[in-house]
Amino acid sequence: MDFVSDLFVNLGRVWTDFLSMYLAPWLVRLINWLIVSTILLVIGLVTVLFLVWLERKIVARIQDRPGPNRVGPFGLLQTVADAVKLLTKEDITPAGADRIVYNLAPALATFSALMLMAVLPWGPRLIAADLNIGVLYLVALGSVATMAILMAGWSSNNKYALLGGFRVVAQLLSYEIPMILAMASVVLLAGSMSTQAIVEAQSPLPYVVFTPLAFLIYLLASLAEVGRVPFDLLEAESELITGYNIEYSGMKFAFFFLAEFINTFIVSIIAVTLFLGGWRGPLVDRFPVLGVFYLGIKVFVLLFAMSWFRGTLPRFRIDQMQMFAWKVLVPVALVNLLIVAVAVKLPGGLWAQAAFALAGNVITLLVTLGLLGRAARRFAERRGERLPVTT
Amino acid sequence: MLEQYGFIALYSGLVFVFPFLGMLTAWLLRPKKPNPIKRSTYECGLETIGDTWVQFKAQYYLFALIFVVFDIEAVFLFPWAVAYRRLALYALVEMAIFLLILLGGLLYAWRKKALQWQ
């Protein structure tokens, strides 16, 4: 029972002890690192296979059609079939392309997505590398993806791809600021940038109770960061014929696709880790193995919500998208950061701080919604329309 | 702690090689029959007109500049956030002043219509 209650950590310990009997310590460490790297890679790839299927199924149900159901049980192997097909497709490099940049771009996109997995906490003591700058690492390597997409758009020698690349710069840069500010408020609460320490610090109350506003901002900004509906301007099918990756085919296209879905997965894990208590849940202190399941459930809920958005929301226009980032999210995130900073310095223990931060958040949210409503009404008046009265 | 960075170094090497391995496999498996029409720029059947790499909208620069300001702010923000609990009240006042100056800059850009997409 003891062994099963902390299954993964104990398995690792038994395996390390077994190796240590025969090999030098540095060799044991190297082998373990290689195994952990392989596990992370496999987690990333298998999750993407499942995630693509899941999203297609959910969107299909929303649109009242069955979705993939031919290959394998419930169409589960459809993604595998697609991957094999992409692997054997002819690869066409456009004539005027900048070849080095063109080939480097999909590799860099995948690199950035997979690198992020190294600092995510999967359970108690279950983390590949518990860096003390975890959150900064996530921000830093996340922005490499921006560069990869810009490289792809630039090097393809295609006007649509280039337009897609420009939009990426505009969108990803704009939404990185509110994302960083929302993350900073969590770092402020936890007093540490290590992802594992942040999860452990949320022991009676997850941080979403302190600052629901930061959670909301992070969720919206991360949707924009991974370029998903309603922020999918960078690959708008109907405007840019998929934008930056238009000239890519075969395996290179597959790597962009892979990076996008790994990023979706990772962004949900980060949101759960920072705001929803990560692997925390009932009885997790006695049976640490439960942490993985709690994390999985929370992440699944967020992923489901993202697919739901994709099935139901229309796309933003580029000016609306920019305006929303700079005129709404950034000021609100700055105000929220100040509220959290004041709350942390309050005397009277955790609950008083939480109550103050929550009250401040609710007031900020109401004021923001009020101002937005007024702006919308004024805009409608200028165009000579009357806004429908909503309750 | 340094040990963790050892793992990151090894992992980054593997992860960087992985996509190239994938592309190599595809290179071995896929057909290779390029022709000029296949390799021409894809524009839904139309011939492409003019050069692709032309001068683009200056507005993108404007957003990039504002972004740089706020990104540098983040560099100051994270160390402050980590050390915040150990600092006296002046840390709050100082950062409040810093954030208000930034907010002032944002409002200035707003008034100057730099945030308006034309």
Side-chain angles (χ1 to χ4, degrees), chain A residues 29 33-34 36-37 40-41 45 87-96 99 103-104 106-108 110-111 114-115 117-118 128-133 135-137 154-155 157-160 162 166-167 170 173-174 176-177 180-181 184 187-189 191 193 241 246-247 251-252 255 258 318-319 322-323 326-327 330-331 334 337-338 341-342 344-345, chain B residues 1 3-8 10-16 18-23 25-27 29-36 38-44 48-54 56-57 60 63-64 66-67 70-71 73-74 77-89 91-92 95-96 99-100 102-103 106 110 115-118:
Chain A
R29 188 173 294 163
W33 281 351
L34 281 173
V36 172
S37 306
L40 283 182
L41 263 177
L45 298 182
L87 194 64
T88 54
K89 277 271 178 190
E90 182 175 358
D91 183 273
I92 300 160
T93 308
R99 288 197 85 99
N103 288 323
L104 205 59
L108 213 57
T110 316
F111 172 77
L114 284 170
M115 277 307 279
M117 303 198 50
D130 189 9
L131 300 186
N132 55 1
I133 52 151
V135 172
L136 199 63
Y137 175 95
W154 176 260
S155 64
N157 193 18
N158 181 313
K159 288 180 194 110
Y160 290 102
L162 191 62
F166 287 159
R167 286 187 177 189
L173 294 194
S174 301
E176 201 163 309
I177 302 299
I180 289 172
L181 289 173
V187 173
L188 196 61
L189 284 167
M193 282 198 275
I241 34 177
I246 173 176
E247 290 285 9
M251 210 52 198
K252 286 171 197 157
F255 276 119
L258 181 77
I318 187 159
D319 60 327
Q322 290 290 29
M323 218 152 69
W326 289 105
K327 296 187 181 174
V330 171
L334 279 174
L337 191 66
L338 281 178
V342 172
V344 170
K345 279 286 181 231
Chain B
M1 184 47 67
E3 202 183 298
Q4 314 270 13
Y5 286 100
F7 170 77
I8 296 281
L10 180 82
Y11 183 62
S12 68
L14 281 178
V15 164
F16 193 73
F18 164 72
F20 289 107
L21 279 180
M23 286 185 213
T25 321
W27 182 74
L29 291 175
R30 71 186 183 218
K32 299 173 210 49
K33 296 186 197 104
N35 67 40
K38 264 188 203 167
R39 297 186 62 212
S40 65
T41 302
Y42 174 67
E43 258 178 42
C44 291
T48 176
I49 299 169
D51 204 8
T52 308
W53 293 322
V54 291
F56 53 87
K57 206 168 156 69
Y60 289 109
F63 278 102
I66 307 174
F67 166 76
F70 276 86
D71 216 27
E73 170 230 355
L77 212 55
F78 275 110
W80 168 76
V82 171
Y84 185 63
R85 278 176 194 274
R86 272 162 282 159
L87 298 175
L89 202 62
L92 173 61
M95 197 40 87
L99 289 184
L100 285 178
L102 268 172
L103 206 58
L106 185 67
W110 195 331
L115 303 180
Q116 200 80 43
W117 191 265
Q118 277 126 9

Side-chain angles (χ1 to χ4, degrees), chain A residues 153-371:
Chain A
W154 176 260
S155 64
S156 296
N157 193 18
N158 181 313
K159 288 180 194 110
Y160 290 102
L162 191 62
L163 267 177
F166 287 159
R167 286 187 177 189
V168 171
V169 180
Q171 175 174 327
L172 300 200
L173 294 194
S174 301
Y175 281 86
E176 201 163 309
I177 302 299
M179 196 177 79
I180 289 172
L181 289 173
M183 282 172 151
S185 61
V186 169
V187 173
L188 196 61
L189 284 167
S192 169
M193 282 198 275
S194 148
T195 44
Q196 195 68 279
I198 287 175
V199 174
E200 272 154 19
Q202 307 182 44
S203 89
L205 285 175
Y207 287 149
V208 69
V209 179
F210 285 82
T211 91
L213 211 52
F215 177 60
L216 205 66
I217 291 170
Y218 180 80
L219 217 57
L220 287 170
S222 62
L223 274 179
E225 283 290 309
V226 295
R228 290 178 63 85
V229 177
F231 298 100
D232 61 337
L233 293 135
L234 54 150
E235 44 187 278
E237 287 96 341
S238 47
E239 302 164 25
L240 293 176
I241 34 177
T242 81
Y244 68 91
N245 58 17
I246 173 176
E247 290 285 9
Y248 284 87
S249 52
M251 210 52 198
K252 286 171 197 157
F253 172 77
F255 276 119
F256 275 121
F257 204 69
L258 181 77
E260 193 189 320
F261 273 87
I262 293 180
N263 273 328
T264 312
F265 176 56
I266 284 173
V267 150
S268 338
I269 297 185
I270 297 174
V272 168
T273 304
L274 295 184
F275 295 99
L276 303 180
W279 40 260
R280 288 217 154 266
L283 285 180
V284 83
D285 290 323
R286 273 195 55 213
F287 306 105
V289 74
L290 284 175
V292 182
F293 297 104
Y294 289 136
L295 183 81
I297 292 167
K298 291 173 186 173
V299 168
F300 177 80
V301 170
L302 280 189
L303 286 173
F304 182 81
M306 283 185 176
S307 301
W308 192 357
F309 293 158
R310 178 164 182 177
T312 46
L313 289 180
R315 186 181 302 133
F316 266 154
R317 229 167 47 205
I318 187 159
D319 60 327
Q320 294 168 334
M321 183 270 292
Q322 290 290 29
M323 218 152 69
F324 187 60
W326 289 105
K327 296 187 181 174
V328 181
L329 288 186
V330 171
V332 172
L334 279 174
V335 171
N336 176 54
L337 191 66
L338 281 178
I339 290 172
V340 173
V342 172
V344 170
K345 279 286 181 231
L346 276 187
L350 192 74
W351 293 91
Q353 294 178 359
F356 179 85
L358 188 61
N361 266 256
V362 171
I363 292 170
T364 316
L365 184 66
L366 291 179
V367 170
T368 313
L369 288 179
L371 288 175

Side-chain angles (χ1 to χ4, degrees), chain A residues 75-99:
Chain A
L76 259 170
L77 296 177
Q78 181 66 51
T79 325
V80 181
D82 287 346
V84 171
K85 184 198 73 178
L86 280 170
L87 194 64
T88 54
K89 277 271 178 190
E90 182 175 358
D91 183 273
I92 300 160
T93 308
D98 188 338
R99 288 197 85 99

